[in-house]
């Protein structure tokens, strides 16, 4: 029997009714970093997805680098998320939370003038998004080994809060140039201690975080997101194919719910990415693989048929099509996403995309 997007899939502890995943999408609509009722409405609209991965959510105030992104480090945030997860469950959906620490992709304006943190004191090229507009990135503070240990504990605490908030699981965000990705790559990690240099050392923090989070949740409710070909946020590595094959080999040992890979995007290729082929990554990983990045229905079905991935996550298509499952099933036309309303704002471009009349 051919596998399609509508073939159910076991992902860790869960049986997904279909293989469409809503990709994690930062929408910057959480004033004071607290989720809102409007966000509940937005996620409920998308509850027919096999799995929703809720937007990147900071595990600590120090892990924040954009305005109005939600957190999971205080009681008010837990209560607000609890309402959202209950609503999504009432609508028949499943929802994981993406655990986020931005590392150097931040600015002292978020931290009372203190520096953002990173593996090494190397500023990324580009500008930070601050509450008062774009400002150049600063040279971050290189974390001490003691501080690294406390970040692992921040992940553990945030994972516990996510459990209290009623999520079905968590995804560790180790993609797109944020803190854990900064440790993996030799462009941003030039440490000479046990967290830098060899593959083993550069992967040490991600694996320690995975260990801590799976201790809270059980491995069958935890996923990890990686972007092996990514250049976003000034990511560079001398040999990403070897690095990410090693990381996937190590993650095999955890028996996670899934690994979620971001494919090379147009922007990565424009920035001269060393593209790591999906076939190479598939070979390195034994468990459920979710793939994301520029997929439409046809390409998604082909990738499933070829056995290169087990499920496909959609980002922009989920922004614009809350009923993406029904639209794919019915070969319906798709709404076009409006980039002007991706980040911040109101219900416009958020919860007002029309559903297909059928
Ligand atoms: C508005 C927007 C916000 C995003 N926020 C996140 C995020 O919070 N976490 C993350 O891992 N990726 C984030 N991404 C990347 C998407 O999850 C996805 O990998 C990317 O959009 C490529 O998939 P697509 O071509 O289906 O949109 C974001 C992308 C967009 C367009």
């Amino acid at each position: 029997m051919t596998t399609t997007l509508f073939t159910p899939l076991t992902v860790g502890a869960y049986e997904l009714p279909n293989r469409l995943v809503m990709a994690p999408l930062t929408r910057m609509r959480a004033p004071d970093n607290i989720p809102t009722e409007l966000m509940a409405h937005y996620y409920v609209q998308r509850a027919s997805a096999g799995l929703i991965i809720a937007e990147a959510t900071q595990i600590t105030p120090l892990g924040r680098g954009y305005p109005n992104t939600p957190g999971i480090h205080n009681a008010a945030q837990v209560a607000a998320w609890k309402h959202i997860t209950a609503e999504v469950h009432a609508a028949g959906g499943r929802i994981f939370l993406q655990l986020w620490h931005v590392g150097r992709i931040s600015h002292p304006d978020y931290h009372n003038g203190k520096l953002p943190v990173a593996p090494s004191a190397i500023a990324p090229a580009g500008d930070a998004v601050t509450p008062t507009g774009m400002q150049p990135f600063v040279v971050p503070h290189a974390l001490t080994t003691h501080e690294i240990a406390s970040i692992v504990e921040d992940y553990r605490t945030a994972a516990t809060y996510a459990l209290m908030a009623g999520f079905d699981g968590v995804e560790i965000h180790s993609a797109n140039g944020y803190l854990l990705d900064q440790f993996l790559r030799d462009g941003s990690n030039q440490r000479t201690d046990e967290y830098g240099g060899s593959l083993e050392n550069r992967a040490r923090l991600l694996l320690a975080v995975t260990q801590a989070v799976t201790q809270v949740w059980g491995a069958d409710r935890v996923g990890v997101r990686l972007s092996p070909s990514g250049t976003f946020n000034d990511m560079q590595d001398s040999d990403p194919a070897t690095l990410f094959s090693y990381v996937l080999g190590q993650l095999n040992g955890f028996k996670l719910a899934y690994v979620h890979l971001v494919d090379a995007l147009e922007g990565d290729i424009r920035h001269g990415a060393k593209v790591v082929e999906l076939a190479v990554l598939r070979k390195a990983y034994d468990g459920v693989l979710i793939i994301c990045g520029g997929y439409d229905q046809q390409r998604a079905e082909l990738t499933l048929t070829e056995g290169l991935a087990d499920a496909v996550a959609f980002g922009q298509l989920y922004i614009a099509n809350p009923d993406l499952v029904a639209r794919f099933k019915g070969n319906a036309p798709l709404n076009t996403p409006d980039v002007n309303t991706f980040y911040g704002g109101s219900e416009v471009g958020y919860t007002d995309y029309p559903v297909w009349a059928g």
Side-chain angles (χ1 to χ4, degrees):
M1 213 183 75
T2 341
T3 302
T4 75
L5 283 168
F6 309 109
T7 311
L9 175 68
T10 305
V11 172
Y14 301 101
E15 187 72 18
L16 310 189
N18 61 63
R19 296 173 184 229
L20 282 85
V21 174
M22 178 182 173
L25 292 161
T26 291
R27 304 303 305 273
M28 299 189 349
R29 283 168 168 84
D32 300 324
N33 312 111
I34 298 174
T36 64
E37 184 62 40
L38 185 63
M39 286 168 59
H41 186 41
Y42 163 77
Y43 284 115
V44 164
Q45 287 180 328
R46 289 154 179 79
S48 59
L51 178 65
I52 292 171
I53 303 164
E55 65 212 82
T57 296
Q58 53 262 3
I59 59 157
T60 155
L62 195 60
R64 171 180 173 215
Y66 299 85
N68 300 322
T69 52
I72 186 79
H73 51 78
N74 68 38
Q77 293 161 346
V78 171
W81 277 121
K82 198 168 182 176
H83 172 65
I84 293 176
T85 59
E87 296 273 308
V88 169
H89 290 150
R94 291 143 299 279
I95 181 167
F96 276 38
L97 184 65
Q98 193 184 44
L99 299 179
W100 194 27
H101 192 310
V102 300
R104 66 182 186 169
I105 305 303
S106 188
H107 190 274
D109 282 5
Y110 288 110
H111 312 298
N112 299 320
K114 278 180 63 184
L115 291 175
V117 300
S120 300
I122 303 169
D127 296 311
V129 186
T130 78
T132 54
M134 305 298 279
Q135 299 188 58
F137 284 121
V138 299
V139 176
H141 163 66
L143 287 160
T144 64
T145 45
H146 180 70
E147 288 166 339
I148 291 173
S150 89
I151 284 181
V152 175
E153 291 315 303
D154 289 340
Y155 274 96
R156 190 191 305 277
T157 305
T160 307
Y161 280 148
L163 193 60
M164 287 161 59
F167 284 97
D168 297 299
V170 288
E171 177 175 285
I172 298 166
H173 193 350
S174 185
N176 301 346
Y178 297 110
L179 183 70
L180 298 177
D181 204 16
Q182 290 159 28
F183 268 84
L184 291 179
R185 315 256 194 162
D186 57 16
S188 43
N189 181 349
Q190 295 179 4
R191 299 177 72 91
T192 51
D193 65 357
E194 72 262 39
Y195 291 97
S198 65
L199 298 177
E200 190 186 357
N201 285 355
R202 283 186 275 142
R204 192 177 304 284
L205 177 58
L206 169 60
L207 299 178
V209 167
T210 307
Q211 176 79 24
V213 172
T214 55
Q215 278 167 357
V216 173
W217 273 92
D220 59 352
R221 290 170 170 82
V222 175
V224 170
R225 194 174 216 218
L226 301 167
S227 51
S229 305
T231 57
F232 183 59
N233 283 327
D234 201 17
M235 279 293 95
Q236 297 160 33
D237 191 77
S238 56
D239 185 1
T242 304
L243 167 63
F244 285 94
S245 298
Y246 172 79
V247 169
L248 289 168
Q250 294 298 304
L251 291 177
N252 277 331
F254 285 94
K255 308 266 178 273
L256 297 171
Y258 65 83
V259 163
H260 185 177
L261 297 174
V262 186
D263 245 354
L265 303 170
E266 269 169 50
D268 300 317
I269 292 162
R270 249 198 334 273
H271 286 98
K274 297 188 176 109
V275 175
V276 188
E277 295 300 332
L278 181 53
V280 170
L281 300 163
R282 168 89 271 187
K283 228 170 140 186
Y285 191 63
D286 300 337
V288 169
L289 261 194
I290 303 175
I291 188 70
C292 183
Y295 284 77
D296 58 13
Q297 184 173 8
Q298 199 188 4
R299 186 174 166 218
E301 299 279 11
L302 186 66
T303 304
L304 295 182
T305 313
E306 291 176 341
L308 287 171
D310 304 294
V312 181
F314 301 92
Q316 298 206 24
L317 289 185
Y318 253 116
I319 288 178
N321 299 278
D323 53 347
L324 194 61
V325 174
R327 285 178 189 256
F328 277 180
K329 256 192 191 151
N331 288 314
L334 300 175
N335 298 322
T336 309
D338 170 17
V339 296
N340 298 314
T341 50
F342 276 8
Y343 301 108
S346 64
E347 70 280 5
V348 178
Y350 191 54
T351 51
D352 65 350
Y353 284 103
V355 296
W356 178 45

